[in-house]
């Protein structure tokens, strides 16, 4: 099998159980645009409600405690936490079913999946090819959609090869895919949904 450290992979799902895939040679900027944002994820520790209903990002001041201010550390901490953070990111609730898309696809699907960076595991949609069933599917898949489930199997955080094996193992006439439409920092971070929630609401 292909090394998981390869920057990109092509997935071509055949009409049988066989799956062929080969490395893509996409430019770094192409794949980097949808990678996880570790700096943003670090600002979300247990503060889901601080986003004000999803209309604003968390700011560093929300992480500074009264004790930090009493010690006079607040300014330095806020500067450190804000360094390199994209303040334009908005919260997408992974416990809201409306932030997921679900569709059933026949093989070949024509989807290029790429493994997430940052150690969280899981794969996302890098490209939808014209030759597969996904090209004419509804809802339309978008680049960056995070694969969460294959059929009734939760593949959230799985390694690349294991995720492909789950797709290959499906012998249904059409394979159901469930995908999250939002940043990995929310899907895999402190505000992530529980496995029980997925079983009750999406699978």
């Amino acid at each position: 099998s292909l090394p998981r450290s390869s920057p990109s992979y092509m997935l071509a799902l055949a009409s049988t159980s066989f799956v062929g895939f080969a490395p893509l040679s996409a430019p770094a900027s192409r794949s980097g645009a949808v990678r996880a944002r570790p700096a943003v994820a670090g600002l979300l520790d247990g503060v889901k409600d601080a986003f004000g209903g999803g209309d604003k990002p968390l700011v560093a001041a929300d992480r500074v405690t009264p004790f930090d201010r009493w010690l006079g550390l607040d300014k330095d901490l806020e500067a450190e936490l804000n360094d390199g953070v994209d303040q334009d990111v908005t919260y997408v609730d992974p416990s809201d079913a409306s932030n997921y898309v679900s569709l059933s696809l026949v093989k070949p699907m024509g989807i290029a999946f790429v493994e997430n960076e940052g150690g969280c595991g899981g794969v996302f949609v890098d490209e939808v090819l014209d030759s597969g069933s996904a090209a004419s599917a509804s809802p339309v898949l978008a680049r960056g959609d995070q694969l969460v489930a294959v059929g009734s199997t939760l593949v959230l955080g799985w390694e690349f090869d294991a995720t492909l094996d789950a797709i290959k193992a499906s012998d249904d006439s059409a394979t159901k895919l469930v995908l999250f439409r939002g940043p990995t920092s929310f899907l895999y971070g402190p505000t992530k949904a529980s496995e029980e929630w997925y079983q009750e609401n999406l699978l």
Side-chain angles (χ1 to χ4, degrees):
S1 63
L2 294 173
R4 303 185 188 91
S5 60
S6 178
S8 187
Y9 300 79
M10 176 67 72
L11 170 65
L13 293 172
S15 57
T16 65
S17 60
F18 174 78
V19 174
F21 46 94
L24 289 170
S25 56
S29 60
R30 179 170 172 267
S31 58
V34 291
R35 300 298 191 186
R37 294 171 175 163
V40 177
L43 298 179
L44 302 176
D45 301 337
V47 288
K48 180 176 178 181
D49 294 336
F51 286 89
D55 58 353
K56 64 177 182 178
L58 180 67
V59 295
D62 296 319
R63 292 277 319 272
V64 178
T65 67
F67 185 68
D68 293 328
R69 293 188 175 90
W70 182 74
L71 291 176
L73 302 175
D74 51 323
K75 298 300 181 182
D76 290 338
L77 286 173
E78 288 181 21
E80 179 181 351
L81 291 169
N82 278 325
D83 184 31
V85 174
D86 184 358
Q87 294 295 332
D88 294 328
V89 66
T90 54
Y91 180 63
V92 181
D93 189 357
S95 295
D96 183 347
S98 66
N99 291 324
Y100 294 80
V101 295
S102 176
L103 65 168
S104 294
L105 300 173
V106 298
K107 301 173 185 177
M109 296 178 177
I111 305 173
F113 285 111
V114 174
E115 187 170 11
N116 289 309
E117 293 180 344
C120 63
V123 301
F124 66 89
V125 175
D126 184 59
E127 184 180 2
V128 176
L129 307 178
D130 294 336
S131 58
S133 61
S136 57
S138 180
V140 177
L141 289 178
R143 187 168 185 265
D145 284 347
Q146 293 282 333
L147 183 61
V148 169
V150 177
S152 59
T153 302
L154 189 67
V155 297
L156 188 69
W158 284 23
E159 294 183 350
F160 184 85
D161 289 343
T163 304
L164 292 189
D165 287 342
I167 298 174
K168 289 189 293 182
S170 172
D171 55 4
D172 296 332
S173 58
T175 302
K176 177 184 176 182
L177 301 182
V178 179
L179 304 100
F180 175 69
R181 189 154 286 176
T184 54
S185 54
F186 304 128
L187 181 64
Y188 293 101
T191 62
K192 64 182 180 182
S194 66
E195 183 174 346
E196 291 75 17
W197 183 87
Y198 284 111
Q199 294 293 341
E200 293 175 2
N201 295 276
L202 295 177
L203 303 183

